[in-house]
Amino acid sequence: MKKVLGRSITVAVIVLLGYSCASTNSSSTAIKRDYKAITSSTNKKKTEKIVQSVVENAQKALGAPYKYGGTSPKGFDCSGLIITLFKQQDIILPHNSIQLSKTGIVLNAKKDKVNKGDLVFFSNNKNKTIDHVGIVIDSSDEEIKFIHASTSKGVIVSSTKEPYYKKSFVQANRLL
């Protein structure tokens, strides 16, 4: 019995660690939606106001601790931070970095300007499966600065100039 229980716990820990920021939250994914359909049907000024509010709220979250599955200032995981920021604007998104990467318009970061409020996605595995997401707060031709929930440091600002993020960058998406 102890051996079976020990294996079950080991398997559970491996599964939890393997999914990191690819967590799911039944409250945000229970209703099937075509998340790609999220586009701005509002005017440009209103869209800019929403983006500004999302970015300001992301900046207010700086310093919050990391918490797997977290969606509050008491603790966020990477996708939990993103869904919370957009939920504050009545935009419901999936609590999963892979599903988030299929939301909105995928940008060609070499051709398209990545803007404030766009999402950036990363992979730290060889098959480039997305496992991390952040929100852009500033960008230039050489660098993208973004806010994200780091497992070791909580909610912080990072840059694609940092070797880790430069190497693991996969794509950027525009939701609005």
Side-chain angles (χ1 to χ4, degrees):
M1 181 68 176
K2 283 185 180 182
K3 201 173 200 178
V4 171
L5 182 59
R7 283 187 194 159
S8 297
I9 291 171
T10 302
V11 169
V13 168
I14 290 170
V15 168
L16 284 174
L17 290 175
Y19 282 101
S20 184
C21 279
S23 68
T24 58
N25 178 325
S26 59
S27 66
S28 64
T29 58
I31 300 170
K32 289 192 175 194
R33 299 176 191 258
D34 180 6
Y35 294 108
K36 282 188 176 184
I38 296 172
T39 57
S40 178
S41 60
T42 60
N43 64 37
K44 187 175 180 177
K45 268 207 180 304
K46 188 169 183 182
T47 298
E48 288 172 0
K49 188 176 178 180
I50 292 170
V51 168
Q52 186 62 34
S53 182
V54 166
V55 170
E56 285 173 5
N57 287 334
Q59 291 168 330
K60 289 176 186 174
L62 289 170
Y66 179 86
K67 181 180 179 189
Y68 179 80
T71 58
S72 79
K74 292 181 181 179
F76 293 102
D77 67 8
C78 67
S79 57
L81 174 63
I82 300 304
I83 68 164
T84 300
L85 296 172
F86 281 89
K87 186 176 183 182
Q88 292 167 341
Q89 303 301 315
D90 295 323
I91 299 171
I92 306 301
L93 297 171
H95 190 170
N96 178 296
S97 57
I98 293 170
Q99 289 178 359
L100 281 169
S101 73
K102 298 173 184 174
T103 305
I105 300 166
V106 177
L107 303 174
N108 179 340
K110 292 180 182 173
K111 293 182 182 176
D112 300 323
K113 173 103 168 89
V114 176
N115 294 328
K116 186 186 324 186
D118 290 342
L119 302 182
V120 284
F121 297 91
F122 303 90
S123 173
N124 66 6
N125 54 62
K126 290 180 184 179
N127 63 3
K128 291 291 184 187
T129 302
I130 290 170
D131 55 15
H132 193 64
V133 61
I135 186 161
V136 176
I137 58 168
D138 191 29
S139 71
S140 66
D141 291 337
E142 307 87 37
E143 177 182 31
I144 299 169
K145 291 183 181 177
F146 59 97
I147 294 177
H148 63 115
S150 159
T151 55
S152 61
K153 298 178 183 176
V155 180
I156 59 170
V157 176
S158 293
S159 165
T160 54
K161 278 194 162 186
E162 296 171 38
Y164 177 81
Y165 294 108
K166 184 176 186 174
K167 181 180 77 165
S168 62
F169 178 81
V170 176
Q171 73 188 48
N173 288 25
R174 180 158 300 141
L175 301 185
L176 300 171

